[in-house]
Amino acid sequence: MDVRRGLPDDYEMIDFDAGYARLPARFYARVAPTPVAQPTLLRVNGPLAELLGVDPDALASSEGVARLAGNRPFEGSDPIAAAYAGHQFGHFVPQLGDGRAILLGDVVGRDGVARELQLKGAGPTPFSRGGDGRAAIGPVLREYLVSEAMAALGIPTTRALAAVATGESVYREEALPGAVLARVATSHLRVGTFEYFAARRDHDAVAQLVEYALARHYPDAKDDVPALALLDRVITAQAELVARWLGVGFVHGVMNTDNCSIAGETIDYGPCAFLDAYDPKRVFSSIDRGGRYAFEQQPRLALWNLARLAEALLPLVTDDEQEAVRLATERLETFPARFEAAHAAVLRAKLGLLAPREGDLMLARALFDQLAAGRVDFTRFFRWLADAAEDDAEDARLLALFPAGSGFPAWLESWRARLRDEPTTAEMRASAMRRASPAFIPRNHRVEEMIEAAIRGDLAPFERLLEVLARPYDDQPEHDALAEPPGAEQWSYRTFCGT
Ligand code: AMP
Ligand code: MG
């Protein structure tokens, strides 16, 4: 049904501000989305639309779907594909850029925050490098679901405003239904954006990026040298982000510098996955053969990416190169302590330790050794630990997660002894622990099931997962099946890049 038939010609479905397109022409290519055969709606994110001040019904109408698919321009938008470079698996690629994403402009939400709206899978751009500029329905719904789950978990992330099917096939290993994701980020600035201009020795452009990023993301950053102010803030944002990932068992999978956000948001949900059984060395991505982006490597890799940002910024720090290196290194050296502090806070919350004590991190480390040795399900364990914090009748269930002869019973005793130092009641502690450890994460086997169903045209599993994952910290007994870990046959689960 077309609820907006007879729209006035000047009707603006979304009130766009010029954002990135205000920067000089060499920062991007002007390019419009390529129309598709037969756009149909997969989903509109009602609450996010409301936050952005956009009418969700208008977006869901045939007029809205035509715009989301790129078949009609959004009035007031100024579509561009951004230029960026990046280190991919350690190797520098001087030109990547938006090869299948088109940035429509800024939308200022009801919360006063400016966000960029991008259509991903909207057709080729000058940065497509032989790619088709398109996306298949699987990766689109996966990004929609996982990014919205991250948002509900309270972890900084890009968000999904809508997804539409194109009515066209995209050809990967097989023909798959095509789709376009409308994605929102406070910005799509990446470490790779800075690297692009630094590699071209375009210091003026890097300086403009610094100014743009500071004004947009860190307006209160204080440092006499703007480049150092920015570096400092991105270091903090990334340290906190990765600590939050580790707290929910998230493996990003492709932490290349072009996927490392200046705003500190989780971006580019390609081969990402959540741990089931705890394994610090776990890798899901089929292309990550060396385990570069394994679960426990993520803090180290974030720092590696930040070092690339620092290098790109060096010419702006001071003319004395050695001094510039010294100042940037000084900032980079703060990363481990910032990460450790953020990670310690995450771990304490998961263990119900509200009043920090020396030895807490040793206690956490001892637990992780047990979880790894027993291949214990990460999410389930911490949720059940919260139950045990309230009532030791729940211990039996927890103990049963570990193999016979494990050191876990001894650990449980030392944890209980430590809890005696805590000022809170058992009830308060358990409820705080449940806010730090979700009952529901996007389980890999459920995400795969959802995608298989969507390819067959059945969106019910997608809708159900979205609904449950919107409240990940709440027990939802009627959806317990979605909290279940996969069977052992899923332990070799692999993901593939969403291209
Ligand atoms: P990603 O691995 O998704 O971060 O993408 C890395 C680079 O490849 C970016 O420049 C993307 O725009 C580009 N890219 C990925 N998939 C496609 C595609 N299907 N068509 C064109 N460019 C693509
Ligand atoms: Mg990317």
Side-chain angles (χ1 to χ4, degrees):
M1 185 188 59
D2 186 354
V3 301
R4 296 263 161 185
R5 198 175 289 285
L7 291 177
D9 280 349
D10 60 350
Y11 176 74
E12 288 200 358
M13 200 165 292
I14 298 180
D15 185 9
F16 283 103
D17 279 5
Y20 205 64
R22 271 182 302 155
L23 292 173
R26 64 189 189 284
F27 285 60
Y28 48 80
R30 281 218 146 70
V31 54
T34 304
V36 301
Q38 201 181 18
T40 52
L41 183 67
L42 294 167
R43 198 166 201 286
V44 163
N45 186 339
L48 180 60
E50 305 275 3
L51 174 67
L52 298 180
V54 180
D55 174 4
D57 294 332
L59 279 183
S61 72
S62 63
E63 287 293 335
V65 171
R67 287 165 175 79
L68 289 166
N71 285 27
R72 281 196 61 165
F74 272 103
E75 293 77 2
S77 69
D78 186 4
I80 58 172
Y84 56 85
H87 276 85
Q88 300 191 308
F89 291 91
H91 303 286
F92 186 58
V93 184
Q95 181 167 311
L96 291 166
D98 289 331
R100 56 166 170 170
I102 293 180
L103 177 58
L104 300 181
D106 268 8
V107 186
V108 178
R110 293 188 199 279
D111 55 359
V113 175
R115 294 179 180 83
E116 292 181 348
L117 175 59
Q118 206 191 50
L119 299 181
K120 186 167 172 182
T125 77
F127 303 107
S128 297
R129 297 175 301 149
D132 60 4
R134 292 297 181 190
I137 189 169
V140 164
L141 294 186
R142 186 188 168 82
E143 175 159 348
Y144 191 124
L145 181 83
V146 182
S147 66
E148 284 306 301
M150 286 295 249
L153 286 164
I155 299 176
T157 178
T158 62
R159 307 251 344 234
L161 177 62
V164 294
T166 62
E168 294 176 0
S169 290
V170 294
Y171 299 91
R172 299 298 181 248
E173 254 119 61
E174 54 191 321
L176 294 163
V180 178
L181 177 71
R183 166 167 100 176
V184 164
T186 58
S187 87
H188 290 81
L189 289 173
R190 311 134 194 276
V191 169
T193 317
F194 291 78
E195 289 180 287
Y196 177 89
F197 293 105
R200 286 161 180 71
R201 307 205 183 289
D202 187 346
H203 303 326
D204 185 49
V206 181
Q208 289 188 65
L209 278 176
V210 168
E211 193 187 331
Y212 185 83
L214 279 174
R216 189 173 181 101
H217 299 300
Y218 308 111
D220 60 344
K222 296 214 181 358
D223 194 303
D224 294 341
V225 184
L228 290 176
L230 181 66
L231 179 62
D232 192 67
R233 296 298 291 265
V234 181
I235 289 171
T236 307
Q238 285 289 332
E240 285 171 2
L241 179 66
V242 174
R244 303 293 307 276
W245 287 355
L246 299 198
V248 295
F250 181 74
V251 183
H252 181 281
V254 60
M255 288 176 69
N256 293 329
T257 55
D258 54 306
N259 294 335
C260 181
S261 147
I262 295 299
E265 294 178 349
T266 313
I267 187 169
D268 271 16
Y269 291 84
C272 65
F274 285 74
L275 294 179
D276 293 303
Y278 179 72
D279 174 1
K281 306 219 175 321
R282 189 72 168 90
V283 170
F284 293 95
S285 168
S286 56
I287 59 168
D288 188 1
R289 294 202 182 82
R292 180 177 171 91
Y293 298 137
F295 179 72
E296 70 175 358
Q297 292 297 324
Q298 296 183 107
R300 210 175 62 77
L301 262 299
L303 177 56
W304 193 90
N305 289 342
L306 291 162
R308 305 291 80 75
L309 176 62
E311 281 167 6
L313 296 174
L314 281 182
L316 303 184
V317 174
T318 123
D319 291 340
D320 176 346
E321 200 181 316
Q322 275 194 348
E323 178 63 1
V325 169
R326 191 188 67 77
L327 290 168
T329 305
E330 203 174 80
R331 300 302 191 287
L332 289 169
E333 282 171 353
T334 66
F335 179 89
R338 294 189 207 193
F339 167 74
E340 292 304 337
H343 192 220
V346 165
L347 294 178
R348 280 206 178 88
K350 293 181 84 70
L351 293 177
L353 308 178
L354 306 181
R357 289 272 185 288
E358 215 174 304
D360 287 350
L361 297 184
M362 297 260 287
L363 188 68
R365 228 167 283 138
L367 172 62
F368 282 106
D369 289 344
Q370 294 303 326
L371 292 177
R375 299 201 59 116
V376 176
D377 186 81
F378 182 84
T379 303
R380 170 143 281 188
F381 172 81
F382 281 104
R383 195 70 184 180
W384 285 4
L385 188 69
D387 296 338
E390 195 162 11
D391 180 359
D392 52 22
E394 302 288 349
D395 285 9
R397 191 171 65 155
L398 205 51
L399 289 160
L401 291 173
F402 291 81
S406 107
F408 180 70
W411 184 89
L412 191 59
E413 266 182 48
S414 53
W415 176 64
R416 281 247 148 73
R418 167 64 181 82
L419 290 184
R420 279 180 222 120
D421 292 347
E422 285 289 308
T424 48
T425 65
E427 248 180 6
M428 282 166 60
R429 181 179 313 132
S431 88
M433 286 172 75
R434 290 188 192 104
R435 288 193 300 274
S437 291
F440 297 94
I441 52 162
R443 295 261 180 200
N444 306 318
H445 61 299
R446 294 298 182 183
V447 173
E448 289 308 311
E449 260 173 35
M450 172 281 278
I451 290 173
E452 280 167 32
I455 291 173
R456 292 193 310 268
D458 175 10
L459 291 173
F462 172 62
E463 291 293 335
R464 180 177 176 214
L465 281 175
L466 268 181
E467 183 194 321
V468 173
L469 291 167
R471 295 189 294 127
Y473 297 107
D474 291 353
D475 286 320
Q476 302 174 56
E478 67 282 21
H479 295 298
D480 265 351
L482 297 181
E484 290 278 334
E489 74 283 356
Q490 280 278 340
W491 284 2
S492 57
Y493 180 75
R494 278 263 172 280
T495 57
F496 298 89
C497 255
T499 49

